[in-house]
Amino acid sequence: MIAVGGPVRPITVLVADDQEIVRTGLAMILDAEHDIEVVAQAVDGRTAVELARRLRPDVSLLDIRMPGLDGIEATALLAGREVADPLAVVVITTFDLDEYVYAALRAGARGFLLKDAGAALLAQAVRAAAAGDALIAPSVTTRLLRAFADAAPQGGASTRGGAGASRSGADGVPQPLDPLTAREEEVLLAVARGRTNTEIARELFVTLSTVKSHVANLMTKVGARNRVEVALWAYDTGRVRPGQP
């Protein structure tokens, strides 16, 4: 739940999916959580964007394939780099549409899930997005990002890279002017493999606050807006390679 001046309120969510049975099921699962409330449902991307802009939910859960305006386009309109006040978006899809998920992450999505992820992971993704974090489903992280890392533009500027990443490497991907420390490299690899902050803290034997600090430093250095973009940067720069465990 989110604190607003002391008291807490439920995490508000918009659910968008053109299939009624899926949309209703997702809404029921989330509404069953004590700290989450579905405030709107949409049958297509255009309606989702209109409702999200008007209601400003904490999280928008968008299906990738929707009529009129698909989930990728809707994500860009709600969370893209050009959006002045971006909203948190989590995309949900089936594995055979993973290329669309990759495009959605490029468009600004904070995380993604498969439709068979289960109620617990769905709620966890919503809570992570509402808290300003991001959740990449561990079951698909390596397969998805490894498979489509090479789909990024080659020989030119990356689609990411802010003030902290202004020096181009040999592959054309912006590199941080301030090199990553050894610990930041460890955290980077963990993030790229879909580890949560708690899991990283446990694996590296450091405190949760230390991990959060490292992740924040990584976002600043590589010019990323969230940990999803941090993970994509790790693949773009070859720090995590196809076939690497």
Side-chain angles (χ1 to χ4, degrees):
M1 304 182 85
I2 298 176
V4 282
V8 293
R9 64 172 176 80
I11 297 169
T12 56
V13 179
L14 177 149
V15 177
D17 195 299
D18 62 319
Q19 295 183 316
E20 182 178 3
I21 190 169
V22 175
R23 186 176 67 252
T24 302
L26 292 171
M28 290 179 63
I29 290 172
L30 293 174
D31 271 332
E33 299 292 326
H34 73 282
D35 58 342
I36 299 175
E37 178 185 2
V38 175
V39 295
Q41 297 184 40
V43 299
D44 57 60
R46 196 169 302 282
T47 302
V49 170
E50 293 172 354
L51 288 172
R53 285 174 170 172
R54 175 162 55 89
L55 300 175
R56 305 291 301 179
D58 297 313
V59 180
S60 293
L61 182 66
L62 307 180
D63 181 31
I64 291 295
R65 266 195 149 166
M66 293 185 289
L69 191 72
D70 65 29
I72 298 171
E73 296 170 308
T75 297
L77 290 173
L78 295 175
R81 188 170 290 278
E82 302 304 317
V83 179
D85 190 13
L87 295 169
V89 174
V90 174
V91 295
I92 186 166
T93 188
T94 52
F95 187 69
D96 61 337
L97 297 178
D98 48 8
E99 66 271 22
Y100 294 112
V101 181
Y102 185 81
L105 296 180
R106 293 289 190 186
R110 191 167 287 176
F112 67 85
L113 292 173
L114 301 182
K115 287 188 176 179
D116 62 355
L121 195 56
L122 175 63
Q124 184 181 354
V126 167
R127 293 186 183 105
D133 206 339
L135 185 146
I136 307 174
S139 61
V140 298
T141 298
T142 54
R143 291 184 64 178
L144 176 65
L145 294 179
R146 285 191 321 210
F148 294 98
D150 291 337
Q154 298 298 314
S158 170
T159 55
R160 295 175 310 283
S166 57
R167 175 173 57 85
S168 294
D171 56 2
V173 178
Q175 301 292 321
L177 291 175
D178 186 10
L180 304 187
T181 66
R183 179 62 85 184
E184 286 169 349
E185 291 281 2
E186 291 179 317
V187 174
L188 174 66
L189 295 182
V191 169
R193 295 187 177 100
R195 302 292 194 270
T196 65
N197 285 347
T198 300
E199 290 171 337
I200 296 172
R202 184 167 57 247
E203 291 176 4
L204 300 182
F205 302 101
V206 296
T207 65
L208 185 59
S209 61
T210 297
V211 174
K212 291 181 179 179
S213 178
H214 285 313
V215 173
N217 289 340
L218 282 170
M219 289 191 290
T220 298
K221 286 186 175 183
V222 308
R225 295 170 298 172
N226 53 57
R227 67 195 293 126
V228 172
E229 291 190 354
V230 168
L232 292 173
W233 186 85
Y235 280 85
D236 285 346
T237 56
R239 283 168 167 79
V240 181
R241 301 178 183 278
Q244 181 179 339

